[in-house]
Amino acid sequence: MDERYSPIDVEREAQAFWAQARSFEVTEDPSRPKFYCLSMFPYPSGRLHMGHVRNYTLGDVISRWRRMQGMNVLQPMGWDAFGLPAEGAAERHGVPPAQWTYDNIAAMRDQLKRLGLAYDWRREIATCRPEYYRWEQWLFTRLYRKGLAYRATAPVNWCPKDRTVLANEQVVEGRCWRCDTPVERREIPQWFLRITAYADELLAGLEALPGWPERVATMQRNWIGRSEGAEIRFPVEGFGTLTVFTTRPDTLMGVTYLAVAAEHPLAVAASAGRPEVARFRDECRVAQTAEAVLETMEKRGVDTGLRAAHPLTGRSLPVYAANFVLMGYGEGAVMAVPAHDERDFAFAQRYRLPVVPVVVPEDYEGRVEDLVRDGAYTGPGRLVDSGPFTGLSSQEARERIVAALADIGAGAGRVQLRLRDWGVSRQRYWGAPIPMIHCAACGVVPVPDEDLPVVLPEDVVITAGGSALAARPDFLNVSCPGCGGPARRETDTFDTFMESSWYYARYCSHDNDRQMLDARARHWLPVDQYIGGIEHAILHLLYARFFNKLLRDEGLVGNDEPFTRLLTQGMVLKDGTKMSKSKGNTVDPQALIDQYGADTARLFIMFAAPPEQSLEWSDDAVAGAHRFLKRLWGLARAAASRPAPADGAYDEAHRALRADMQGLLDQALRDYERYHFNTVVAACMGLANTLQKLLDETVSDSGTRLLREGLSLLLRLLAPIVPHIAHRLWQELGFGPQAIIDAPWPVVDAAALKRATLRLVVQVNGKRRSEITVDADCDRAAIEARALEDEAVARHIDGRPVAKIVVVPGRLVNIVAP
């Protein structure tokens, strides 16, 4: 056995063994429980960063551990390959985005292989390949025929720099999530998926996901935003009827104005005769649109000059166009009750509109006006100054007011969603083409199945923003599938979240060129363990749950939810902040692997912090991880140099050490189940300390047997974390006959934990003074007597009377002698 640990050689040999043995290529095996472990696939930016290393190491440790437990483990890898970054980088370098992307995939694949990740590379997918997005196009045409995909002119979030539409979820504090440009509001034709049709099921399904962090479930509930309330219709002279939705119909008698979005048809109509309304609408076109921003921005508006009539009292109410009303939420109009809504209150104060309180706390006895002198009262209570509803509780008033509105045809109870249908059109080139054709005679026609995929030209060099497809006659011009006349293809491409919403399923049927999914998907799905960042809680994870239900309803999968258990790993920090090129605090994983080896990187990642917490980078801790592996090598080398021991039983001292080992094994096995991998590593270090004690003592058959048993346990515990060195040392020590990846997972010897004797610490007045050895079945009285007889204990008591003796079973005795 080599004297020095050479990680480059060890890792090269182990990876060659796995490749030759095709160790990680799996097929369906009904005789073993399946385990599908998946880490969110990367965008092929060109190089791995430490966040990638942490994410993929976590998934690999879990996969290898489950494999050693006897499960049939699927762990694939692929590439989320479409998107704007490729266009930007390709434009800068003067090459087609396809070339830039494929070159990056090749480079990153090599880096992932250097980490020793147990992937079934046969299943590798890239979402920019026609054989992948063909099936996405195929599904879209079916959704179109079912009415779940549709085209509509709608107000959208527009990024003027990227010149594309953004989903609501892609607007962060009023700015584009990719380039940080302020977002504008525009109205253009868009393709949508009707995710709102699944809103109730998406909400209910969260209750069936106990393996998800509650934080993620809460974020999705809030985003879907199911609210129960009422639809109320206000007549507007010179316009018609203005419909609003409110969750507080009990406050209807306190309405003092109505507000509409700048894009609302009422505001459009009013702007024709009022220049100030037209100017305000123009200003709102470049306003920030995210709801979080609208809540905190200055509330501004303009009187449209139109007046609405209160549906129950007939009172005249002014109608304002306001910057805090979103056309895409509800009806694009709100009834304003300044006394009971903070936003309405702020707007009323600015424009000197009446504030009329109609709800007070149940026990309120002061003047009604004083309740809202400095701000709105937003809680429930009892109604005041509300005509026939005065004195009712808020709940009673909701029911009675909605009934009164229904009686006159002015309203009804309704459920409202914060969730909007998913806009999937993007006005960019590097994305999957939307498989629709525009014909002057036939209208919009889906591309027939036999003509799929609609292939994206890959020889395009980006020279300007927007979609390059409209400038390609060979792509644009086509015959209509319906009438055969001249037509043109849709030039918008899919939002890249379309591709990442179903990739987990395609891995199962990766080589099927006749079906989107086959029976293998039903075998492997749902994913048992999914791993990725918390930043994907709303975007990717909600869309993937929606897509899974679309696949289910097409009969392609049998599961309701795509991911049974979700692990959201923390960030990798350096100097207390997230690693970032702009901050100059990044660490190159490749340089780390070249210097110390992949196992050192993996060990540091797993030991530095629990998976869900942020990990602080430390050069010293990395060096410490490498020292431990060199120490492990030394322990194995020393054990390998010993002669084979004779068979026999352990002597008493080694039985006690074996009990220590089994205790550490028990701790490590429990921590694996809880994903407390940092304490797994700590237990392994403790086990290494015990093995060192055996090496330091005089050589004996009993000690050598225990040394080899302990090394067998230690290597198997470490194999999922540092697989290369574990593979090599398992071979060097002659364990087997199989490789360690196929070795059985260790189990605790419960009998070994039952010691014949126990070592107890003895304290006097809380300070450690001695240790005593007692029989494991010794009763309390005998333990107390043995402690009092101890010479060192007697010396520290010094004849003082003993007030109390505390015995902590299996641990210590504390004698209180004031």
Side-chain angles (χ1 to χ4, degrees), residues 153 200 267 269 283 324 339 361 487 520 539 666 785 804 810:
T153 299
D200 287 341
E283 293 171 6
F324 61 82
R520 292 174 293 178
L539 288 164
D666 185 55
K804 181 170 61 172

Side-chain angles (χ1 to χ4, degrees), residues 285-620:
R285 286 187 65 250
V286 295
Q288 298 178 336
T289 58
E291 290 179 50
V293 174
L294 293 177
E295 287 297 321
T296 57
M297 65 191 275
E298 182 183 33
K299 309 300 184 291
R300 296 189 307 106
V302 61
D303 190 343
T304 65
L306 297 172
R307 295 294 179 265
H310 193 288
L312 295 182
T313 68
R315 188 171 72 252
S316 179
L317 303 169
V319 182
Y320 278 74
N323 65 348
F324 61 82
V325 184
L326 287 172
M327 191 64 209
Y329 181 68
E331 303 292 339
V334 299
M335 70 176 209
V337 188
H340 303 296
D341 183 277
E342 291 290 357
R343 179 197 58 194
D344 297 348
F345 182 88
F347 191 89
Q349 294 293 99
R350 180 183 180 98
Y351 294 100
R352 299 183 180 181
L353 295 165
V355 178
V356 179
V358 292
V359 179
V360 298
E362 290 285 355
D363 56 355
Y364 186 74
E365 297 180 356
R367 293 192 344 154
V368 173
E369 295 79 7
D370 294 340
L371 181 65
V372 294
R373 186 178 303 279
D374 299 317
Y377 169 66
T378 59
R382 57 183 171 82
L383 268 64
V384 296
D385 298 331
S386 296
F389 310 109
T390 298
L392 296 178
S393 69
S394 288
Q395 182 58 42
E396 292 171 327
R398 287 189 182 101
E399 297 171 2
R400 292 272 296 275
I401 289 174
V402 170
L405 291 168
D407 287 344
I408 61 174
R414 198 180 93 185
V415 171
Q416 176 74 19
L417 298 173
R418 180 180 183 270
L419 180 69
R420 303 288 89 202
D421 280 341
W422 177 11
V424 296
S425 298
R426 295 296 178 267
Q427 291 67 46
R428 303 299 300 186
Y429 154 68
W430 188 237
I434 295 176
M436 307 301 285
I437 292 172
H438 300 272
C439 173
C442 302
V444 178
V445 182
V447 174
D449 290 356
E450 59 270 21
D451 293 339
L452 295 176
V454 177
V455 177
L456 182 75
E458 292 191 349
D459 58 349
V460 172
V461 177
I462 303 297
T463 56
S467 174
L469 296 177
R472 290 285 299 251
D474 57 333
F475 176 86
L476 183 66
N477 298 323
V478 65
S479 296
C480 174
C483 67
R488 60 180 180 82
R489 293 194 187 279
E490 174 64 66
T491 57
D492 283 1
T493 55
F494 281 132
D495 178 5
T496 56
F497 281 103
M498 286 280 283
E499 286 82 63
S500 61
S501 293
W502 70 283
Y503 79 107
Y504 62 89
R506 184 60 183 173
Y507 282 131
C508 306
S509 307
H510 65 104
D511 56 357
N512 191 332
D513 62 358
R514 296 192 176 189
Q515 293 175 273
M516 184 177 190
L517 300 173
D518 55 35
R520 292 174 293 178
R522 289 181 176 268
H523 173 83
W524 287 110
L525 295 176
V527 174
D528 297 284
Q529 179 65 68
Y530 199 38
I531 303 160
I534 189 71
E535 67 270 19
H536 299 292
I538 293 172
L539 288 164
H540 164 59
L541 288 170
L542 183 63
Y543 292 155
R545 294 183 61 226
F546 167 51
F547 231 88
N548 190 90
K549 298 177 193 309
L550 296 175
L551 295 173
R552 179 202 61 197
D553 291 349
E554 282 293 321
L556 298 172
V557 300
N559 51 296
D560 292 330
E561 293 288 341
F563 315 120
T564 301
R565 187 171 180 180
L566 174 67
L567 172 61
T568 53
Q569 88 279 359
M571 294 186 296
V572 180
L573 310 177
K574 193 168 190 287
D575 305 322
T577 61
K578 182 180 179 180
M579 286 188 180
S580 167
K581 289 182 181 179
S582 63
K583 296 175 183 175
N585 66 342
T586 58
V587 174
D588 181 5
Q590 194 60 54
L592 174 66
I593 294 170
D594 290 342
Q595 180 178 1
Y596 290 114
D599 280 343
T600 292
R602 293 170 63 114
L603 182 64
F604 165 74
I605 287 288
M606 303 309 292
F607 185 46
E612 297 87 352
Q613 296 181 15
S614 293
L615 181 158
E616 178 68 36
W617 181 265
S618 167
D619 292 334
D620 290 342

Side-chain angles (χ1 to χ4, degrees), residues 266-275 277-278 281:
L266 185 149
V268 174
S271 64
R274 297 177 73 94
V277 177
R281 293 187 64 246

Side-chain angles (χ1 to χ4, degrees), residues 1-18 64 599 629 632-637 640 708 711 715-716 718-720 722-742:
M1 182 174 172
D2 294 340
E3 180 178 353
R4 292 178 62 254
Y5 167 49
S6 173
I8 292 177
D9 294 334
V10 167
E11 291 170 8
R12 184 188 302 116
E13 291 172 9
Q15 291 169 17
F17 175 90
W18 298 328
R64 289 174 175 273
D599 280 343
L629 294 182
L632 176 64
W633 186 272
L635 288 172
R637 185 170 183 275
R708 289 183 60 81
L711 276 167
L715 290 177
R716 282 180 285 167
L718 284 172
V722 286
H724 306 90
I725 192 173
H727 171 84
R728 174 69 175 274
L729 295 181
W730 187 263
Q731 290 179 323
E732 293 284 0
L733 291 167
F735 297 136
Q738 73 275 67
I740 195 169
I741 56 171
D742 296 316

